Amino acid sequence: MSLQVNVSAEAVSVRQSAERLRILSVLNDLHLKYKSLQDGRVADYIPQLAKVSPDLFGICIATVDGQIFEVGDYDYLFTIQSISKPFVYGLALEDHGRDYVRTRVGVEPTGDAFNSIIKLDERSKRPHNPLVNAGAIAMTSIIKGTDPTDKLNRLLDLFQRYTGHGIFADMSVFMSERTTGHRNRAIAHLMLNFGMIDGNVDEALDLYFQQCSLMVSCRDLAVMGATLANRGVNPLTGERAIAAEYVRDILSVMFTCGLYDYAGEWAYRVGLPAKSGVGGGLLAVVPGRFGIGVFSPLLDERGNSVRAIKVCEGIVQAFGAHIFDLAFTLPSSAAAHEVHLEHPARTADARNGHTASHPPEPHRVA
């Protein structure tokens, strides 16, 4: 495996070049270290997911100043699955505001599996949080739109702002989920019985299945994470993906609920807002610094990517990126400003009439 670095035409200091090579070296080492790890199994309860090769493995970091570092199968497309949930939660917040959304979903971790049926709070008439299936279906059901097509187009526009390019759903996965998603149908009808959702349940479920079937790459996940790290502004396009006031809400539930019944262990070991998906993806956010995207379809018993967890542990250790390490680290010199993973650069907001500077070319390990 050879090392390939693409450098922009802008002047780059020796210190910056050394730091970029160090980042690539860390990602390359982690990829080599865990490529042979065969623990876990590919999700098979959705038939189409069972067809994915267990050997696929990609890692990407995207910084808030637009740098991209990639290794392995970083451009392989897979279905986003549950990683879509925090972003749709953000859209619901923009559509209705915090006060209303809090009447429809809580923010408490469940301690149970992502597809748990029993964890519905009958007293509050709402699911426990927006990142378990029950809460995610409830959030999808309140997305504004004149009809199902309009709602789907709004979701596609949302993820285009986060990724910086057009996005589409894999219809074979959508039909597979629609045909076999009996547990999600049971959850939705149980919530309808308790008054937790209203409207057309079948339309809400179809939109939820479509949202989970959107195709993304490891690189897309990193850019989406960097957008949240950049207070809602995509660092590659300069376009605002979500109002800054709601970024904190998204990151908070990702930190406490993003890895389901592994959330506490994740907060202890890795300490970053994150979200996993049974498609094999994992997205993590270092606020103000960078986003991490990892893809490997081998899952543990909780539905989290085995290799992705290991990689994120390694990145945090290498760069001191645990959120409570960062909380006690203050940039104190111009040298810290050159290390982009450790000190954020401000990115322009296109909605305020500004444009982002052209980002550097991606740095890749071939």
Side-chain angles (χ1 to χ4, degrees):
M1 182 177 291
S2 61
L3 193 66
Q4 178 181 345
V5 182
N6 298 322
V7 183
S8 69
E10 300 174 5
V12 179
S13 71
V14 172
R15 188 186 190 96
Q16 288 172 322
S17 296
E19 177 62 14
R20 291 175 182 178
L21 288 172
R22 184 173 79 91
I23 295 164
L24 279 171
S25 178
V26 168
L27 298 190
N28 187 41
D29 288 347
L30 289 170
H31 191 269
L32 289 172
K33 181 177 182 179
Y34 295 117
K35 188 174 183 179
S36 61
L37 180 63
Q38 295 296 318
D39 294 353
R41 56 184 295 181
V42 175
D44 57 7
Y45 70 93
I46 300 172
Q48 285 298 117
L49 296 185
K51 300 178 181 179
V52 178
S53 169
D55 296 326
L56 291 165
F57 183 25
I59 309 170
C60 184
I61 281 179
T63 69
V64 296
D65 61 351
Q67 296 184 85
I68 306 291
F69 302 88
E70 304 164 323
V71 61
D73 301 306
Y74 54 82
D75 56 355
Y76 181 87
L77 294 179
F78 56 94
T79 52
I80 192 170
Q81 298 296 330
S82 289
I83 300 174
S84 64
K85 294 173 181 176
F87 300 96
V88 176
Y89 173 58
L91 182 60
L93 287 167
E94 287 195 310
D95 279 354
H96 300 283
R98 283 193 189 95
D99 290 343
Y100 177 79
V101 170
R102 286 297 302 277
T103 68
R104 306 304 295 264
V105 70
V107 292
E108 293 296 331
T110 66
D112 285 327
F114 63 92
N115 58 356
S116 172
I117 292 178
I118 62 173
K119 279 292 186 179
L120 296 173
D121 191 340
E122 293 184 60
R123 292 173 301 173
S124 66
K125 298 295 182 183
R126 62 184 186 175
H128 277 65
N129 69 69
L131 303 190
V132 291
N133 287 10
I137 293 168
M139 292 297 93
T140 302
S141 73
I142 64 172
I143 296 304
K144 289 183 177 180
T146 56
D147 55 42
T149 300
D150 185 38
K151 293 179 180 181
L152 175 59
N153 286 332
R154 291 195 68 226
L155 288 185
L156 293 175
D157 289 342
L158 171 73
F159 286 100
Q160 179 170 334
R161 293 196 298 273
Y162 273 105
T163 62
H165 61 78
I167 197 166
F168 64 93
D170 184 318
M171 294 310 295
S172 63
V173 174
F174 163 64
M175 291 304 298
S176 184
E177 295 206 35
R178 192 185 195 207
T179 303
T180 62
H182 307 303
R183 192 177 185 91
N184 283 325
R185 292 190 186 280
I187 290 171
H189 282 281
L190 194 58
M191 288 194 293
L192 180 65
N193 177 70
F194 290 146
M196 295 180 179
I197 62 173
D198 45 40
N200 190 315
V201 172
D202 289 331
E203 286 184 2
L205 281 168
D206 275 356
L207 186 59
Y208 174 71
F209 293 144
Q210 287 170 319
Q211 140 195 341
C212 292
S213 302
L214 296 177
M215 299 296 287
V216 293
S217 67
C218 177
R219 185 182 196 273
D220 291 332
L221 294 185
V223 174
M224 292 164 68
T227 300
L228 291 176
N230 201 34
R231 294 187 58 79
V233 176
N234 186 313
L236 301 186
T237 66
E239 183 178 11
R240 178 164 290 283
I242 183 172
E245 63 183 294
Y246 297 123
V247 173
R248 187 192 69 181
D249 302 66
I250 296 172
L251 294 180
S252 295
V253 295
M254 287 173 68
F255 187 75
T256 57
C257 310
L259 272 79
Y260 309 118
D261 45 336
Y262 187 70
E265 191 75 14
W266 171 270
Y268 182 81
R269 290 180 176 274
V270 182
L272 294 176
K275 188 70 195 78
S276 62
V278 295
L282 193 151
L283 178 156
V285 180
V286 183
R289 273 75 171 178
F290 57 95
I292 304 168
V294 188
F295 169 61
S296 171
L298 290 171
L299 310 179
D300 62 21
E301 67 278 3
R302 299 180 178 92
N304 301 318
S305 172
V306 176
R307 289 177 182 145
I309 290 176
K310 295 290 188 182
V311 166
C312 288
E313 288 178 353
I315 289 174
V316 164
Q317 183 176 359
F319 299 113
H322 190 293
I323 199 165
F324 295 119
D325 288 334
L326 294 173
F328 297 105
T329 303
L330 297 175
S332 58
S333 67
H337 192 281
E338 291 184 345
V339 181
H340 295 293
L341 287 186
E342 298 179 355
H343 186 74
R346 296 191 178 276
T347 301
D349 182 352
R351 286 194 179 176
N352 291 334
H354 304 294
T355 57
S357 59
H358 192 277
E361 289 292 318
H363 311 296
R364 301 186 176 100
V365 174

